[in-house]
Amino acid sequence: MFFGNTVWPFFLQYNIGHSEWNGSISLIGSIPGIFLVALWPLIRSKVGKKGFFYLFLAMFSAGSLVLWIWTKTPDTIALGYVGRFLQQWGLTSATGFMWALVPEVVNHGELVTGKREAGQINAIMGLAFKFGITIASFAMTVIGVFGYKSGATVQTAAAQQGINVAMVWIPIVLALVAMFVMARYPLTEMAVKENNEKLDARRANIIDSEL
């Protein structure tokens, strides 16, 4: 997902030809992460935990496709607003809500092992995000393979295609991989509820035995 953010300035400059629009489009793209977070619990209650991720990863992919369509009519700034808004809403929601899974994973681990390893799990989550940022650094390698020249006034058609690959197609593929992984996430809503009930009962027994 970080691939697109890495090459976004180059996408605007070379594929769209309007780098001056960066501020206004980025401002629209920041709205979901600031004002729409409050909708997450409502949306999850309607579509479920996995449905939430599927919905927003699909939204991210749809936004990426809108940005690709934008390259065909680069003077239509409305496509930039819509594409970036959908892309960023999908990205911030899917990645941000992953942290909501941490407590249930911690509880499951405690139920299985008897140890509450919240620190380790949070550290793994942080490491995963850093790994994603590291992968994003290869975006420059990708567009370089297509012939991108840093500092050039104009890029070749091949280099522009490389920017599209890094901005649109690789992020969509990674979103599909994330959906595949999420489809195999074992902790259903019912399993989480049962785990919580078992932990509550176990803790109550421990407290009673100590009295």
Side-chain angles (χ1 to χ4, degrees):
M1 309 304 179
F2 295 105
F3 251 82
N5 288 335
T6 301
V7 300
W8 167 247
F10 309 123
F11 177 80
L12 270 182
Q13 180 178 355
Y14 298 114
N15 291 33
I16 301 301
H18 290 286
S19 57
E20 73 276 8
W21 290 347
N22 188 24
S24 61
I25 295 176
S26 296
L27 179 63
I28 294 297
S30 68
I31 290 176
I34 300 173
F35 298 106
L36 301 181
V37 175
L39 296 176
W40 290 358
L42 175 62
I43 296 173
R44 176 178 175 173
S45 69
K46 298 295 183 182
V47 301
K49 179 167 49 184
K50 290 187 177 182
F52 182 96
F53 284 100
Y54 298 153
L55 171 65
F56 282 105
L57 288 172
M59 184 183 296
F60 168 82
S61 299
S64 298
L65 288 174
V66 170
L67 292 180
W68 175 72
I69 295 171
W70 188 25
T71 64
K72 309 303 179 182
T73 56
D75 291 329
T76 310
I77 191 174
L79 289 175
Y81 287 134
V82 172
R84 197 59 171 166
F85 180 85
L86 292 176
Q87 199 182 48
Q88 290 301 97
W89 193 10
L91 179 63
T92 55
S93 297
T95 56
F97 202 74
M98 281 194 299
W99 292 98
L101 301 181
V102 172
E104 60 190 52
V105 173
V106 171
N107 284 347
H108 180 72
E110 181 181 355
L111 186 65
V112 173
T113 66
K115 298 179 181 179
R116 190 166 184 83
E117 299 177 335
Q120 293 89 326
I121 293 175
N122 277 295
I124 292 172
M125 286 285 290
L127 184 62
F129 271 85
K130 290 179 180 179
F131 181 68
I133 294 173
T134 300
I135 292 177
S137 66
F138 289 101
M140 298 306 298
T141 302
V142 171
I143 64 177
V145 169
F146 283 83
Y148 171 81
K149 301 297 182 183
S150 178
T153 303
V154 178
Q155 299 292 338
T156 64
Q160 291 177 347
Q161 180 61 29
I163 293 172
N164 279 337
V165 168
M167 181 70 203
V168 176
W169 304 114
I170 289 179
I172 288 177
V173 170
L174 293 176
L176 292 174
V177 171
M179 289 182 185
F180 177 81
V181 172
M182 190 61 195
R184 280 144 185 79
Y185 181 70
L187 296 180
T188 63
E189 301 286 359
M190 183 60 67
V192 170
K193 181 180 178 181
E194 291 176 354
N195 284 350
N196 290 339
E197 291 173 350
K198 291 176 181 177
L199 280 175
D200 288 342
R202 177 187 292 179
R203 291 164 183 162
N205 290 334
I206 293 174
I207 292 174
D208 289 342
S209 66
E210 292 177 347
L211 295 178

